[in-house]
Amino acid sequence: MSNEASAQQLSYIENQASDARVNIELETEGMTLNLGPQHPATHGTLRIIVRLDGEQVVSAEPVMGYMHRGYEKLTEVRTYPQVTTLVNRIDWLGSFANEVPFILAAERLMEVEAPARAQWIRTALFELSRIANVVLFLGDMAVQLGATTPVFYAFRDREFVLNQIESVTGGRFHPNFDRIGGIKDDLPKGWIQETKDVLVRINSFCEEMEDLVVGNEIFQTRTRGIGIIPADTGLAYGLSGANIRSSGVDWDLRRDGGVGLIHDQLDWKVWTHPDGDSFARYWVRLQEVRESCKMVGQILDGIPSGPIMAKVPRIIKVPPGEAYVETENPLGIMGYYVISKGDLVPYRVKIRSASFNNVSITPWVLKGVYVPDVISILASLYFILGDIDR
Amino acid sequence: MGLVENGKLPGPLTKLLNISRKYSLWVYQWGLACCAIEMGAAFASPRYDVMRLGVIPFPASPRQADLVVISGTVTDKMAPAVRRLYEQMPEPKYVISMGSCANCGGPYWDSYSVTKGVDQIIPVDVYVPGCPPRPEALLEGIVLLQERIASEDMTDRWNRDPIVVT
């Protein structure tokens, strides 16, 4: 007993002495910070194990799989029309955009092509879902840096976009509207004019964000020069979308891909930024919302008349073959590699989602930054957990 | 406050406690999947504005929260964290299960990695169906929960059926 007590006393004294030593010599000890799986700043269930030396990050390791729902296995037991219900929920902010590459891949296998009107409506909804997605980012990034107001504005104006999507598709969030060979329904009456009003609203939202966030001194200090990703490193990690365009790579599948959407018939611009820092990523996305508004405006003016559905059999059996289609989704490149054996269900679907690659750069980009910058970098990389884990 | 747990509190005091609980429900911000965005729309957007109901969506820690909205798919990997965060909440605590995934597995009913219903790991007070439910549906669930809290008696708290929003 007395031995134990004295051992305790000894260890206590030793601890005191070691504390004192630290205070004198200003030694720093390594510390492991567990960011997540639930953390207000990770907007989802991503867990990042950050090892810190004082305020600086020594290493960061993302732990994924907290939102893994087994999509690739589930698609093997769903018929082709049922798969779109499922893939809506991969990137849940821009749901319609998830359906498009899968439907295009199935169409390529079946060798059908959607009528012109269907393709135009598809593109309009594709861009509207991009607006719904990125508008939330524009507010969310600010809220993660400590400015609460922009997210209220983002939710306010996003509601109007969702209303427009809902009035066409019937689904506010997960439309499940795209069909093999066309789309489900035609546009409702008065939709075109209403959407034009919403576009004006979104444009003024972009102006607001330009004033409130981009022009804000605190925002600039916390994002400029933070988390710089050079173009070659970004390409090596497989970054895509606005993340790679903000590193100065002029690459957009809507312009360069040539898949079954009609972006090549519209007049728009691919924005890039030479800096590659968090600020650039925000700025590029802000410009993309404006470009999307421009595109939707042109589509609404030039939408052709005609049928919305090609001739497809009632029970869809896709002939054997393989197809890979990728499109420029709100978060980056999303692709589906579909293998069919001539069944009602796909034999195998490989999903290439943008966020998985975008988040894979975090160990590289977080090395050596300070703790508050971790949040700024993670927010600006803009991943969605369903898109990472699937 | 040991009297509260014993259920021997005088009537007027119970009523006072219930009213205070009803109008200061602190909701833990916890986004899991798609439903988190609809929850965010209900909490943060000016159109739905949950704070007019006396629900405060500010706490960033479960230890300050009275109510947690399980908004979205709970996977088997996430389930221990869900359980642990629930256990950290102080009593009395309430759980709203939002969306089909949290209710029963939803579109992932045959998935190998999804927990089919969060009620397997924590007790649920209100089920809000939908995939995802509209923000109005979540508000309805909160209002029904508040009605229940207003007439709550600690003795039968654990013996009641959950509310299902229809």
Side-chain angles (χ1 to χ4, degrees), chain A residues 190-209:
Chain A
W191 188 79
I192 288 178
Q193 190 50 48
E194 280 171 25
T195 312
K196 279 181 182 165
D197 298 345
V198 170
L199 293 180
V200 172
R201 204 177 262 279
I202 295 294
N203 271 321
S204 76
F205 167 79
C206 290
E207 296 290 327
E208 251 174 5
M209 287 297 116

Side-chain angles (χ1 to χ4, degrees), chain A residues 78-96:
Chain A
R78 301 280 200 275
T79 62
Y80 282 87
Q82 285 174 338
V83 169
T84 53
T85 324
L86 212 57
V87 298
N88 267 164
R89 289 151 178 85
I90 290 181
D91 160 19
W92 47 64
L93 284 174
S95 297
F96 184 79

Side-chain angles (χ1 to χ4, degrees), chain A residues 224 244-249 271-277 279-281 283-284:
Chain A
R224 273 201 191 266
I244 197 70
R245 283 196 287 281
S246 57
S247 299
V249 180
W271 288 89
T272 57
H273 198 288
D275 285 358
D277 55 2
F279 180 82
R281 290 192 276 276
W283 187 85
V284 165

Side-chain angles (χ1 to χ4, degrees), chain B residues 36-105:
Chain B
I37 310 299
E38 290 295 64
M39 184 181 73
F43 286 176
S45 92
R47 187 180 287 189
Y48 301 107
D49 186 21
V50 81
M51 277 169 86
R52 72 203 151 97
L53 301 174
V55 176
I56 301 152
F58 284 147
S61 154
R63 298 175 195 205
Q64 304 164 332
D66 308 308
L67 170 65
V68 63
V69 181
I70 307 290
S71 54
T73 321
V74 181
T75 56
D76 288 347
K77 189 170 179 177
M78 193 65 192
V82 173
R83 175 82 202 174
R84 192 167 159 190
L85 289 171
Y86 174 76
E87 280 167 355
Q88 287 186 9
M89 287 166 62
E91 287 278 356
K93 49 192 172 186
Y94 305 95
V95 178
I96 293 180
S97 160
M98 183 186 183
S100 299
C101 296
N103 290 348
C104 63

